[in-house]
Amino acid sequence: MWFQPGLGGIMMPMDVLERLLSRVVAGPAVEAGLGEVPGRVSREEVFATVALPSFDNSAMDGYAISAEDCGRTGVRLAVTGEVAAGGADGGGLTVAAGKCVRVFTGARVPAGTGAVVMQEDVTAEENGRGIVINEAAELGEFIRRRGADLCEGQRVLARGEVVSPAKTGLLASQGLARVRVGALPRVALLSTGDELTPPGQPLPHPAAIYNSNGPMLAALLREHGLAAPAQSVLRDDLDATREGLAAALEANDVLIISGGVSVGERDWVKPALAALGIAPELWRIALRPGRPFLFATQGEKLIFGLPGNPVSSFVTALLFVLPALRAWQGAVVEAGSAWRLSPAVLAGVVENPGDRMHVMRGALDDGTGVFTPAPVQESHALFALARSNALLMVPPGAAMQAGEAVRVMRY
Ligand code: AMP
Ligand code: MG
């Protein structure tokens, strides 16, 4: 169900996300060094050219023995050489019945190796020339086989997946120093409101408040791997808002506007967009908090209007802006799975008698999995938001019992 102006139908959050994602056109791809790629979106497929392990090697510090000497105890084997990790080819060493080679973890095992006996399972002669096996070795034991983890030709990275630290290590194991990833969008963060004062300055009058949304939303972007946005504050005035939006649209790929998207006469974002010839694609959604959320585009540029109440702007940024910005980087984002949910158990009864999805803030106890809703659920309650760490979506009309299994979104 899309929002249709004039018909009074407003969209549920999942439909909103689906609609936004359908409008996102991925930005350019760039080459980045491994130091920059964690958290970025891969824009290429990478196939293994180096098997893991890339040669049969020892899993232990011990002795490489022949297949014939596997299963035997009490026999003396002559030590014919030594190979450590990085020891090129074992010096042409081979292992045969009655003989063994001293090996260390990661050493390429010599030809003829049937198993490695760990050093704890042998009695070594003091001069290092011989050993006696005390615990019989199984054929193949403690040999890490070439390709056991990864074979040449296997895909190590898909297009559209986020490069995690472990995947960065995997790319490095392939000898790759650079990979193509999605560029980071240039984001402008525009806080609207005559009441706003920058933190660090004294409040000029008793009705002034600090701009908390700007720093909060910038922090959220940073936490999700995005570059620092260009921040500005717009006065509640049509011309100032229009000029601020026009300038930000010139220099950025994405605009995140906080406040000024409601229905009051001092909410200038919609009229200013209209003056720039931009009609909202959607405005007002069935979300509590976050009802006045606005989304528009100018060409491929994305414009998000977040309601000014701190909790509303945080929640709508989390639910809609972050997935859209991932998609902009080229990530495969599906509306149905974009919100990462964790299992939880309700601490008490939860009800939503309203007709909008209630995004309830609360504390998720990681030890017990119990979710306790915050006592204050209003959209201005920044302290309650900051003391919470998870969101529970409570659909309209829902009544949930204490102890009920639910899924919550960590933040
Ligand atoms: P608005 O959406 O502009 O009507 O603002 C709704 C409420 O959020 C008002 O109480 C504003 O004072 C407050 N608000 C708007 N922008 C900010 C901001 N950047 N930081 C803190 N509060 C804000
Ligand atoms: Mg305002």
Side-chain angles (χ1 to χ4, degrees), residues 225-248:
L226 291 144
Q231 285 202 58
S232 52
V233 173
L234 304 181
R235 293 291 141 209
D236 287 323
D237 166 271
L238 177 59
D239 290 338
T241 307
R242 193 197 61 236
E243 282 160 24
L245 294 181

Side-chain angles (χ1 to χ4, degrees), residues 89-327:
D89 64 353
L93 291 168
T94 56
V95 175
K99 304 216 161 101
C100 68
V101 169
R102 177 80 170 121
V103 290
F104 297 94
T105 304
R108 181 173 178 159
V109 295
T113 300
V116 171
V117 214
M118 59 175 174
Q119 62 191 28
E120 290 84 345
D121 288 346
V122 307
T123 305
E125 292 167 7
E126 261 178 33
N127 59 14
R129 296 218 183 109
I131 60 165
V132 174
I133 300 176
N134 302 322
E135 289 284 337
E138 270 176 48
L139 188 64
E141 202 172 14
F142 297 131
I143 301 176
R144 303 191 289 210
R145 292 288 175 198
R146 173 177 204 286
D149 181 29
L150 175 73
C151 294
E152 286 102 337
Q154 266 183 276
R155 190 170 71 179
V156 294
L157 196 66
R159 238 180 230 110
E161 75 177 288
V162 175
V163 185
S164 64
K167 287 170 191 169
T168 306
L170 184 60
L171 292 169
S173 80
Q174 300 301 302
L176 295 171
R178 307 183 73 73
V179 64
R180 282 185 82 69
V181 293
L184 295 176
R186 296 166 301 170
V187 178
L189 195 49
L190 308 161
S191 305
T192 72
D194 284 342
E195 70 277 36
L196 301 181
T197 301
Q201 293 183 15
L203 289 171
H205 55 78
I209 62 168
Y210 287 115
N211 175 7
S212 50
N213 290 354
M216 173 175 68
L217 296 171
L220 190 62
L221 297 177
R222 183 198 167 114
E223 189 189 21
H224 289 264
L226 291 144
Q231 285 202 58
S232 52
V233 173
L234 304 181
R235 293 291 141 209
D236 287 323
D237 166 271
L238 177 59
D239 290 338
T241 307
R242 193 197 61 236
E243 282 160 24
L245 294 181
L249 276 167
E250 279 284 305
N252 296 279
D253 305 300
V254 176
L255 264 51
I256 302 174
I257 307 157
S258 112
V261 288
S262 270
V263 286
E265 287 94 274
R266 309 209 35 104
D267 292 317
W268 292 111
V269 171
K270 277 182 62 192
L273 287 173
L276 296 171
I278 299 169
E281 292 214 17
L282 60 90
W283 175 59
R284 293 212 286 201
I285 62 176
L287 192 67
R288 175 179 152 227
R291 180 177 155 94
F293 176 79
L294 175 149
F295 173 68
T297 55
Q298 186 199 49
E300 293 181 358
K301 297 184 190 240
L302 306 176
I303 303 166
F304 301 93
L306 314 186
N309 273 306
V311 182
S312 315
S313 68
F314 184 84
V315 164
T316 49
L318 204 64
L319 295 185
F320 306 125
V321 178
L322 292 178
L325 296 192
R326 272 261 178 263

